[in-house]
Amino acid sequence: MPVLCSSCVDKRAVLKRPKTGHSLCKDCFFWAFEEEVHQTIVAAELFKHGETVGIAASGGKDSTVLAHVMKLLNERYNYGLTLMLLSVDEGITGYRDDSLETVKRNQQQYELPLKIVSYEELYGWTMDAIVRQVGLKNNCTFCGVFRRQALDRGAIMLKVDKICTGHNADDVAETVLMNVLRGDIARLRAVPPSPQPARATGSSRAASRLKYAYEKEIVLYAYFKKLDYFSTECIYSPKYRGYARTFLKDLESVRPSSIMDVIHSGENLSVRADVKMPTQGTCARCGYISSQPLCKSCVLLEGLNRGLPKLGIGKHHRLHDKILSQQPLTESEERRLKALSF
């Protein structure tokens, strides 16, 4: 016997929501999904009327759904926002070049301006070239650091007030868990991210608008809406995050609320007053936000350019003064920072 939608009690249900357990028809699911994103925006007062918002667009399901929903809600509730698409080309052959074709189609479908910034343009390196030098063990460290800064630099070029990212609930829960396992208190306090004042670079990062949306529901929304998105996983996919993802999926199979429970734990985390936290400053070289004399991006780049890729992996803060003053490293320091056992 067909199951009726638990909301309208009229149409046949096409799915059971993983988050609530409600059986919904397509129309009721669309409305519920969109309203939850709207309530997230309104509750956190994320945007002000007249602001320009850059949507981080990769061509994947999350950013495609985000662009679609943000355009729809902006018109439905008269947010008064000017929306733009911002993409980062990491230089990954057979992956990013294909996904950017999807982004270009999205630009035409949603009639939004698009800006693409590339690692090669900003740093003089592509991820393909970086992987050739550092291998696959720590490549995601380089990519994650460079991408965050690339988004902010792209935001400056577009003169946007905020950047909107498509990280979903699964992504946020994985990040909370990874930071717990690393004992990274500073990042734990910032997850899930909330709107921040303007950075040293002049831009501001807004929290993900999909942070309470399960990955399963995003896939279903994109499927039923027949959205155009790129579904191939990065050929340099992260290993450490993969372990956290597998662990969370196992937990979710036993306790469906596990993902939300982890996120709420991250939101409600409190840190003792006597715990020393990093002091936010700016990079002496590029002016980007940093708690050290040099930002992580500049240290990683210095290591790549000098053939010492381990320079940005781990804690080598005592070498920052040497780098800034262009002093040569000792023979033992260079030997330790080369990619012999990368």
Side-chain angles (χ1 to χ4, degrees), residues 20-287:
T20 64
H22 294 154
S23 299
L24 299 178
C25 65
K26 274 200 281 190
D27 290 338
C28 289
F29 170 61
F30 293 154
W31 182 261
F33 185 91
E34 292 155 7
E35 284 304 293
E36 285 176 5
V37 176
H38 171 61
Q39 289 304 320
T40 302
I41 292 171
V42 172
E45 298 180 346
L46 289 173
F47 308 119
K48 295 178 182 177
H49 195 279
E51 283 187 326
T52 300
V53 176
I55 300 172
S58 67
K61 64 183 184 312
D62 299 322
S63 64
T64 301
V65 167
L66 176 65
H68 174 88
V69 173
M70 281 297 298
K71 180 175 172 62
L72 183 150
L73 294 177
N74 190 38
E75 295 169 355
R76 179 185 293 172
Y77 292 106
N78 190 30
Y79 291 162
L81 303 175
T82 299
L83 300 177
M84 298 182 174
L85 299 178
L86 174 59
S87 291
V88 177
D89 180 2
E90 300 94 339
I92 304 175
T93 306
Y95 170 69
R96 185 55 73 208
D97 46 357
D98 291 337
S99 72
L100 285 176
E101 292 304 312
T102 305
V103 173
K104 292 171 185 175
R105 291 197 300 272
N106 291 159
Q107 175 196 15
Q108 297 173 348
Q109 292 156 0
Y110 303 134
E111 299 178 325
L112 298 175
L114 168 65
K115 173 68 178 176
I116 300 174
V117 294
S118 71
Y119 283 7
E120 190 166 27
E121 167 195 346
L122 297 174
Y123 310 115
W125 287 81
T126 64
M127 271 310 298
D128 287 341
I130 291 171
V131 169
R132 281 196 294 271
Q133 180 167 144
V134 309
L136 291 171
K137 186 176 179 182
N138 292 291
N139 59 293
C140 291
T141 298
F142 290 83
C143 195
V145 171
F146 287 163
R147 190 191 300 112
R148 282 191 294 273
Q149 191 175 119
L151 280 173
D152 279 337
R153 289 192 181 188
I156 294 171
M157 297 175 192
L158 286 175
K159 298 181 180 179
V160 304
D161 299 297
K162 299 222 171 69
I163 306 170
C164 206
T165 64
H167 297 105
N168 58 51
D170 299 57
D171 296 329
V172 176
E174 288 164 14
T175 302
V176 172
L177 181 59
M178 289 164 62
N179 289 333
V180 168
L181 296 174
R182 279 192 296 238
D184 195 332
I185 301 299
R187 284 194 175 91
L188 264 173
R189 290 189 67 183
V191 177
S194 56
Q196 301 170 1
R199 292 174 183 256
T201 53
S203 70
S204 175
R205 177 78 55 85
S208 166
R209 299 294 35 84
L210 302 177
K211 73 174 182 178
Y212 296 130
Y214 277 35
E215 184 176 36
K216 292 176 183 175
E217 295 199 348
I218 291 172
V219 172
L220 290 169
Y221 187 91
Y223 173 75
F224 287 126
K225 282 284 187 179
K226 295 181 170 57
L227 300 184
D228 181 7
Y229 68 91
F230 183 76
S231 57
T232 302
E233 191 172 344
C234 177
I235 59 175
Y236 305 135
S237 57
K239 306 298 186 294
Y240 182 44
R241 181 174 287 272
Y243 294 128
R245 181 175 301 143
T246 300
F247 177 62
L248 275 172
K249 293 301 180 189
D250 290 341
L251 282 178
E252 188 188 9
S253 67
V254 178
R255 180 184 171 91
S257 64
S258 293
I259 289 175
M260 280 301 162
D261 293 341
V262 171
I263 292 175
H264 292 320
S265 295
E267 288 177 323
N268 296 315
L269 179 76
S270 61
V271 180
R272 292 200 321 265
D274 61 341
V275 174
K276 187 176 180 181
M277 300 297 291
T279 303
Q280 184 173 300
T282 56
C283 175
R285 178 172 289 180
C286 71

